[in-house]
Amino acid sequence: MANGQSLSVSIVEDDSAGLLNEWVTEMKAAGVGHDTRMNEVELRAQGAEFLKVLAAAVKNGSNILTEGWTPVRQFLEGISRSRAIQGFSSAETATFIFSLKKPLFTRIRRATSSSPDALAEATWETTELIDKLGMHTVKTFQKSREEVINRQQEEMLELSTPVVKLWEGIIALPMIGTLDSARTQIVMESLLQRIVETGAEIAIIDITGVPTVDTLVAQHLLKTVTAIRLMGADCIISGIRPQIAQTIVHLGIELQGITTKANLADALAIALKRTGLTVTKAQAS
């Protein structure tokens, strides 16, 4: 075992309490532990647990990818995931590791004050180790953050595609925003699932809130209509404004066989008629 590693083990094991106190102070000075996301008690508990697994891992060398470092990697991955969910930045998360440098270097300097070579060796090895752990933390944080963002995007897509029951046998999907491939898939899944659940005969797709209709959007709509028909239901597209009608004509997009209406009210009237229902205004008494 290298002298620098032996020294690191000794420092972490023999002075864990003092090291933890100074480490927490450094983290607080960096702004961690001052808001509702993370208090000092939680910070201290995480620090104590990390020093415990670190002391055991350092005895296995400095390669953090080996089996002996598994507890340390898992601990840092857990910290990164939790802080990504809590809304911490990558810099704030990395501070958990990098703020440990100063307390460690202070103790290394004291222990090697009579040997410049030993000081240089221990300082270099410790720097490399902390940097590796910091990079592992940041990489895990970024991956966790991307997972959080992707999950939120999926949830937003689901919220932006509400399928509502207008009448017995008639459902509608009012769409707002751009219709891309990912959203088309969710639209299909939502509509088809609701058709199965309600036994609907007619599905109305209202695109009043879709800003533009180009060739790609039209293709997505046609795919959705095809999927609905394969389920044994019919489809009506409403919200065809004059500008959108002109765009569809200029692009040469064929919507043959698909009923289109200018607004949702007209589409509902057609849907009711197809199901054999009529709406009449009651006479005033």
Side-chain angles (χ1 to χ4, degrees):
M1 183 182 296
N3 293 333
Q5 293 168 356
S6 301
L7 182 58
S8 298
V9 173
S10 176
I11 288 174
V12 175
E13 287 186 335
D14 298 343
D15 189 23
S16 59
L19 184 61
L20 177 60
N21 287 335
E22 290 186 30
W23 185 19
V24 171
T25 299
E26 288 297 318
M27 285 191 281
K28 290 173 63 179
V32 181
H34 288 302
D35 56 33
T36 56
R37 296 174 300 176
M38 179 74 61
N39 58 45
E40 184 176 343
V41 174
E42 294 173 307
L43 205 59
R44 185 172 291 275
Q46 290 178 350
E49 179 63 24
F50 177 74
L51 291 178
K52 180 180 177 181
V53 295
L54 177 63
V58 172
K59 298 176 183 178
N60 299 295
S62 59
N63 186 353
I64 69 169
L65 299 179
T66 59
E67 185 177 350
W69 282 86
T70 299
V72 173
R73 295 197 306 272
Q74 291 177 340
F75 179 86
L76 292 177
E77 289 162 8
I79 290 287
S80 298
R81 281 192 294 269
S82 64
R83 296 198 178 187
I85 294 172
Q86 289 174 298
F88 284 89
S89 66
S90 58
E92 290 173 322
T93 303
T95 297
F96 179 80
I97 290 297
F98 291 126
S99 58
L100 183 57
K101 278 188 176 182
K102 185 176 180 181
L104 277 176
F105 290 165
T106 299
R107 284 160 175 76
I108 290 173
R109 188 170 60 252
R110 290 176 192 161
T112 58
S113 57
S114 60
S115 175
D117 290 341
L119 172 61
E121 179 185 4
T123 300
W124 178 250
E125 290 186 0
T126 302
T127 298
E128 279 194 318
L129 177 60
I130 295 298
D131 287 348
K132 289 176 184 176
L133 294 174
M135 289 301 297
H136 182 74
T137 302
V138 171
K139 286 170 61 178
T140 305
F141 173 87
Q142 291 174 337
K143 181 180 178 181
S144 299
R145 190 61 183 162
E146 289 172 1
E147 291 173 353
V148 170
I149 292 173
N150 290 335
R151 186 171 65 251
Q152 290 174 339
Q153 288 177 336
E154 290 174 1
E155 292 172 351
M156 288 297 294
L157 282 174
E158 291 175 0
L159 289 173
S160 66
T161 54
V163 181
V164 295
K165 183 177 180 180
L166 297 182
W167 208 271
E168 192 65 37
I170 303 172
I171 59 175
L173 172 67
M175 299 193 65
I176 299 174
T178 304
L179 185 63
D180 55 18
S181 298
R183 195 172 182 199
T184 299
Q185 185 63 33
I186 292 179
V187 166
M188 283 188 187
E189 292 175 358
S190 299
L191 273 172
L192 298 182
Q193 183 61 35
R194 287 292 285 166
I195 288 173
V196 172
E197 293 174 353
T198 63
E201 301 172 10
I202 299 175
I204 301 173
I205 300 178
D206 183 70
I207 61 171
T208 303
V210 176
T212 58
V213 172
D214 54 20
T215 304
L216 186 60
V217 171
Q219 289 175 350
H220 290 323
L221 286 173
L222 291 174
K223 288 179 181 178
T224 304
V225 171
T226 301
I228 292 171
R229 286 175 171 173
L230 288 173
M231 293 294 294
D234 198 4
C235 183
I236 301 173
I237 298 178
S238 65
I240 305 295
R241 303 187 303 278
Q243 299 90 334
I244 290 180
Q246 291 178 19
T247 301
I248 291 175
V249 171
H250 290 319
L251 291 174
I253 298 170
E254 295 292 338
L255 297 179
Q256 292 181 353
I258 301 175
T259 303
T260 60
K261 288 295 177 181
N263 54 61
L264 182 58
D266 291 342
L268 178 58
I270 290 292
L272 290 171
K273 184 177 181 180
R274 288 183 180 179
T275 55
L277 299 172
T278 57
V279 179
T280 57
K281 185 176 182 180
Q283 296 293 327
S285 56

